[in-house]
Amino acid sequence: MTHFVKVARTDEIKPGQARLVDARGRQIALFNINGEFFAIDNMCTHEQGSLAEGEILGHEVTCPLHGAKFDVRTGGVLGPPAYDDVACYSVRVMGTDIEVDVE
């Protein structure tokens, strides 16, 4: 069963940017990569740095604390010092609303 929750509007996040959103008490980093939206847990699995504040290059976000890298499409860790993935959430756009599935 899906539980999509509206977290933002499409005009609030420009391409190449991220935003920290709250969805049912979960802190989620929401990314706009060339008009496509992706959502992963906000906190890096290494030292709890905010991924929404990280540097974005293509589909990769770098944690601002120690440089761990994650794929915004899957939450997969791409580089140390983190070794554990972050959760990834399904995203859909309904008109101008961005919704995240936080089942």
Side-chain angles (χ1 to χ4, degrees):
M1 183 175 198
T2 59
H3 296 91
F4 279 94
V5 177
K6 178 185 173 184
V7 293
R9 289 190 335 260
T10 55
D11 62 355
E12 295 176 326
I13 308 168
K14 295 180 181 174
Q17 293 186 339
R19 179 176 182 186
L20 175 62
V21 297
D22 181 89
R24 294 193 176 164
R26 295 183 189 178
Q27 298 292 299
I28 295 174
L30 182 64
F31 299 88
N32 179 342
I33 308 298
N34 298 320
E36 194 171 358
F37 295 91
F38 302 94
I40 58 175
D41 270 344
N42 183 52
M43 302 311 273
C44 174
T45 55
H46 173 247
E47 289 288 333
Q48 302 299 300
S50 172
L51 297 178
E53 296 176 11
E55 182 180 337
I56 304 163
L57 183 59
H59 290 98
E60 182 178 292
V61 61
T62 302
C63 178
L65 290 184
H66 299 108
K69 297 179 186 306
F70 297 87
D71 188 322
V72 301
R73 297 169 293 189
T74 65
V77 67
L78 300 174
Y83 292 98
D84 295 319
D85 299 343
V86 293
C88 181
Y89 302 93
S90 295
V91 178
R92 71 180 181 190
V93 176
M94 303 295 288
T96 59
D97 293 340
I98 304 169
E99 299 178 344
V100 175
D101 183 5
V102 290
E103 67 175 306

